[in-house]
Amino acid sequence: MSYPNLEKYLQSFGKYIVTQSRANLTRGTKKYGSKNNTKQLYNSLRFEVQETTQGLSIKFFMLEYGEAVDKGVDGVKTKHTYLPMLDDVLEEFNGD
């Protein structure tokens, strides 16, 4: 089956997402700055529109460590607490 309008839309959407992702990498955050030191992750961002038996799909690709960057993992620089209230409880218990 042919879906020219849908394919055109998905191509446009894919380009937009990749562009925004690259901008976010370059801009970074106020606290940590740019995440685009080597440009490897930046250059690995891409998408593909594929025809399937059910129609069209769009898939996004990046280097594996991009998932960690996307989730905000900063290596050893940042202490991550997955139980946010735990620190408060410990401070009260220890009298800090």
Side-chain angles (χ1 to χ4, degrees):
M1 285 189 182
S2 178
Y3 303 98
N5 290 335
L6 179 58
E7 185 170 2
K8 193 174 185 179
Y9 174 79
L10 290 175
Q11 290 286 344
S12 175
F13 177 73
K15 287 177 187 175
Y16 174 77
I17 295 299
V18 168
T19 300
Q20 290 301 306
S21 298
R22 287 178 172 164
N24 288 340
L25 274 175
T26 302
R27 182 175 37 245
T29 63
K30 288 182 183 179
K31 188 172 182 180
Y32 297 106
S34 176
K35 304 279 187 190
N36 197 22
N37 295 338
T38 66
K39 291 208 178 214
Q40 288 180 329
L41 183 56
Y42 180 98
N43 291 331
S44 76
L45 295 169
R46 65 184 179 86
F47 72 96
E48 290 179 6
V49 175
Q50 301 173 339
E51 192 167 337
T52 68
T53 57
Q54 297 174 341
L56 295 172
S57 72
I58 187 167
K59 292 184 179 184
F60 294 91
F61 303 92
M62 64 182 159
L63 289 174
E64 193 172 321
Y65 80 91
E67 288 185 49
V69 172
D70 190 40
K71 292 178 183 175
V73 176
D74 293 315
V76 296
K77 292 182 185 177
T78 305
K79 175 184 170 190
H80 293 281
T81 304
Y82 296 100
L83 299 171
M85 294 179 58
L86 183 59
D87 286 338
D88 295 333
V89 171
L90 290 175
E91 283 178 15
E92 283 184 38
F93 181 75
N94 292 325
D96 293 349

